[in-house]
Amino acid sequence: QVQLVESGGGLVQPGGSLRLACAASGFGLEAYAIGWFRQAPGKEREGVSCTSSNGGIVYYSDSVKGRFTISRDNAENTVYLQMNSLKPEDTAVYYCAAGIIASLIANEYDLWGQGTQVTVSS
């Protein structure tokens, strides 16, 4: 079965860190760009970060630049999102998605994971 599965979400205090993982099954991630998106209640889905298939192109939204780092391990068929200095406004469901080009636009992606909840609260 072709799918993406996110993991690593949870509850963390402001200023804390989490590392999200996006694991692919049924296909190889090495040929695909991967994007991380998030959606908070009542808000539109927002592109957070993305990486090209070889990792040579990386983008971040202004809201996470300097705090989040995307990386990929094609040998493990997994893409990671390291999130540091977390803020309450980072609270959302985080999704990864696979597509052809690296983009922060959701419509560029064809395959989506089910999401993982990140809650930043004291």
Side-chain angles (χ1 to χ4, degrees), residues 4-10 18-23 36 78-81 83 94 96 114-118:
L4 295 171
V5 179
E6 301 94 337
S7 62
L18 283 174
R19 188 176 79 155
L20 304 183
C22 172
W36 281 99
T78 302
V79 173
Y80 300 97
L81 186 68
M83 306 187 298
Y94 283 70
C96 66
Q114 83 290 347
T116 185
Q117 176 70 47
V118 171

Side-chain angles (χ1 to χ4, degrees), residues 22-109:
C22 172
S25 62
F27 72 105
L29 272 182
E30 67 276 4
Y32 296 92
I34 300 296
W36 281 99
F37 294 79
R38 65 186 182 187
Q39 189 164 21
K43 294 189 176 181
E44 293 187 356
R45 190 166 294 192
E46 172 193 13
V48 172
S49 182
C50 61
T51 176
S52 59
S53 58
N54 65 2
I57 297 173
V58 173
Y59 297 130
Y60 298 96
S61 68
D62 288 343
S63 60
V64 307
K65 198 172 296 181
R67 300 188 297 122
F68 290 11
T69 303
I70 192 170
S71 61
R72 62 188 304 154
D73 187 333
N74 287 340
E76 293 189 358
N77 224 21
T78 302
V79 173
Y80 300 97
L81 186 68
Q82 177 68 43
M83 306 187 298
N84 299 329
S85 302
L86 283 162
K87 305 174 182 180
E89 52 263 43
D90 294 318
T91 295
V93 178
Y94 283 70
Y95 301 88
C96 66
I100 301 301
I101 63 170
S103 171
L104 294 180
I105 300 173
N107 287 344
E108 296 286 354
Y109 294 87

